[in-house]
Amino acid sequence: MTSPRVMTTHETYSNIAWRPGTKTKYIYLTRNPKDVLVSYYHHMAGYRAYEYNEPLSQFVQLFTKGKLPYGSWFAHTLDYVENLNNMDIFYVDYESLHLNFEKVVMRLNRFLGLRNLSNEDLESIKERCSFNRMKVDSNTNMSRFEHRRKPNSADFLRKGRVGDWEHHLTTEECANVDRVTDSYFSKTTKKFIYNLD
């Protein structure tokens, strides 16, 4: 592949291919753990390959214990949070994109060392990155894998809302996620945004 190139991955910090001194730049996008949990549940329940047929309540237990195919989301995210200064990394929350899209895009643009963006550029980027646009775009909606999905399962891009967890998780399940989140992140400055109110 010729440079520059863009690659996406769910790899852990310890497995990422990087060397100090390289010109590689990383963008790490995360989301609050409750919305991640609900989204991940619908993802696993929707694809035949995972063979997951249990209710959300069971998934909460697996998620909080890190007993899922990609391991612990909490450990994965914490590794990046603790190592932000070891890599040339742009760390951003999904929720921040909802709160101030233009500001985040401008920061990302500076991080990547690209030309200045005009207001028209920003509007175009915002439209092309909108959930509604991505939901119908075959490059982002994973429609090419539709044959791997279970009948009547949720779309790959389901809702894209911040705070949808409030419609799915019980008070007890929320408390469980909060306990685990605190056990991982209490010694960091990381604070998650759970709704936009």
Side-chain angles (χ1 to χ4, degrees), residues 41 53 76 94 97 115 117 140 183:
Y41 166 74
N53 299 304
H76 185 288
Y94 180 75
L97 287 166
R115 67 170 176 78
L117 297 172
T140 54
S183 73

Side-chain angles (χ1 to χ4, degrees), residues 29-32 35 92-99 131 159-162 196:
L29 175 67
T30 192
R31 192 175 186 189
N32 79 66
D35 278 331
V92 64
D93 297 298
Y94 180 75
E95 297 80 8
S96 296
L97 287 166
H98 280 266
L99 288 169
F131 186 79
K159 290 188 179 178
R161 294 189 191 127
V162 175
L196 302 181

Side-chain angles (χ1 to χ4, degrees), residues 107-118:
R107 281 183 39 236
L108 176 58
N109 190 64
R110 282 191 301 277
F111 171 78
L112 294 173
L114 302 174
R115 67 170 176 78
N116 289 336
L117 297 172
S118 67

Side-chain angles (χ1 to χ4, degrees), residues 15-187:
N15 287 338
I16 258 319
W18 72 280
R19 288 187 305 266
T22 63
K23 294 182 180 181
T24 306
K25 292 184 180 238
Y26 298 88
I27 302 167
Y28 188 82
L29 175 67
T30 192
R31 192 175 186 189
N32 79 66
K34 293 175 188 174
D35 278 331
V36 168
L37 186 157
V38 171
S39 180
Y40 197 179
Y41 166 74
H42 284 287
H43 177 74
M44 282 195 58
Y47 279 92
R48 291 184 183 102
Y50 291 116
E51 298 179 355
Y52 188 81
N53 299 304
E54 301 303 320
L56 177 61
S57 57
Q58 176 65 30
F59 192 83
V60 171
Q61 297 304 313
L62 296 172
F63 182 81
T64 55
K65 293 176 182 174
K67 302 290 184 188
L68 292 169
Y70 297 103
S72 170
W73 174 88
F74 300 95
H76 185 288
T77 305
L78 179 63
D79 258 358
Y80 279 94
V81 168
E82 290 182 330
N83 288 288
L84 288 177
N85 296 324
N86 295 338
M87 298 167 69
D88 198 1
I89 189 165
F90 183 86
Y91 183 94
V92 64
D93 297 298
Y94 180 75
E95 297 80 8
S96 296
L97 287 166
H98 280 266
L99 288 169
N100 201 336
F101 183 83
E102 291 86 355
K103 184 177 179 181
V104 172
V105 169
M106 295 297 281
R107 281 183 39 236
L108 176 58
N109 190 64
R110 282 191 301 277
F111 171 78
L112 294 173
L114 302 174
R115 67 170 176 78
N116 289 336
L117 297 172
S118 67
N119 289 338
E120 293 79 21
D121 292 331
L122 281 171
E123 284 305 313
S124 174
I125 292 167
K126 188 171 188 176
E127 192 278 323
R128 292 176 71 188
C129 293
S130 72
F131 186 79
N132 290 338
R133 170 81 178 260
M134 292 176 68
K135 195 166 175 72
V136 298
D137 184 340
S138 62
N139 291 312
T140 54
N141 67 15
M142 297 298 181
S143 57
R144 65 186 176 276
F145 298 117
E146 196 60 34
H147 63 284
R148 297 180 184 175
R149 299 188 56 71
K150 294 177 187 173
N152 303 315
S153 60
D155 292 339
F156 178 77
L157 294 175
R158 198 174 56 85
K159 290 188 179 178
R161 294 189 191 127
V162 175
D164 189 51
W165 59 269
E166 294 177 306
H167 303 289
H168 300 276
L169 301 177
T170 67
T171 302
E172 183 180 322
E173 289 167 342
C174 286
N176 186 12
V177 174
D178 288 340
R179 276 192 300 276
V180 176
T181 302
D182 189 57
S183 73
Y184 277 87
F185 295 95
S186 63
K187 294 181 181 173

